[in-house]
Amino acid sequence: MSTRETAIAALHSRLVTSLAARSPAPVVLRGETVPQRIPAGGLVVVRDGETVEETPILSPLAWQIEHRAEVEITVAGTTPALRNTLLDALLVDIAAAIAANRTLGGAVEWAQPGSASFEDVEFEGAAAVRAAAIAVTLWFTVAGSPLA
């Protein structure tokens, strides 16, 4: 398994473990489409994202990788205030989960969540949802090739 895949899997695992203590717990997925019904605890989807920088380190050849995964959070609620409160609590818990283990169990050298972008989504005949997306920057070093 590549270091990039290991890093993204570790981020997903960290969020699954940390958010399981919430009541109700959100569903935490990786690379899935958003279902028609949002669970009561919310939905968190980890997206693979993209590598934004590859810096070579010579002798021996290694690469310092900066990769940005994306975490999408979607919540439903009967009122805008309820949706805002639930979304804010999930964002705080996600940031705390990453800050509590910046190396994601040794999978990366450093993990850093970024600021959130927000969106209100309305579906005809369905309750409105509130969504946010945050970039989580993962720094790691690989030997030989950026694809390793």
Side-chain angles (χ1 to χ4, degrees), residues 77-102:
T78 55
T79 66
L82 181 61
R83 292 188 295 270
N84 286 336
T85 300
L86 181 55
L87 183 61
D88 186 60
L90 277 171
L91 289 170
V92 168
D93 287 351
I94 289 169
I98 295 168
N101 187 347
R102 295 283 187 177

Side-chain angles (χ1 to χ4, degrees), residues 48-110:
D48 288 3
E50 64 184 345
T51 298
V52 293
E53 189 170 340
E54 301 169 346
T55 305
I57 302 168
L58 304 176
S59 191
L61 180 61
W63 295 87
Q64 175 66 48
I65 306 293
E66 180 182 337
H67 186 89
R68 284 200 192 116
E70 185 168 291
V71 178
E72 298 172 356
I73 304 97
T74 307
V75 298
T78 55
T79 66
L82 181 61
R83 292 188 295 270
N84 286 336
T85 300
L86 181 55
L87 183 61
D88 186 60
L90 277 171
L91 289 170
V92 168
D93 287 351
I94 289 169
I98 295 168
N101 187 347
R102 295 283 187 177
T103 67
L104 303 176
V108 299
E109 293 158 19
W110 191 259

Side-chain angles (χ1 to χ4, degrees), residues 106-134:
V108 299
E109 293 158 19
W110 191 259
Q112 180 66 47
S115 298
S117 60
F118 298 92
E119 180 180 10
D120 289 307
V121 183
E122 295 185 20
F123 301 100
E124 188 174 331
V129 298
R130 181 117 168 107
I134 59 171

Side-chain angles (χ1 to χ4, degrees), residues 13-65:
S13 178
R14 178 75 185 142
L15 295 180
V16 166
T17 302
S18 296
L19 298 177
R22 293 182 52 85
S23 181
V27 173
V28 182
L29 305 172
R30 178 171 174 211
E32 297 284 336
T33 58
V34 176
Q36 286 185 319
R37 292 184 185 242
I38 304 299
L43 176 70
V44 177
V45 180
V46 177
R47 305 269 180 217
D48 288 3
E50 64 184 345
T51 298
V52 293
E53 189 170 340
E54 301 169 346
T55 305
I57 302 168
L58 304 176
S59 191
L61 180 61
W63 295 87
Q64 175 66 48
I65 306 293

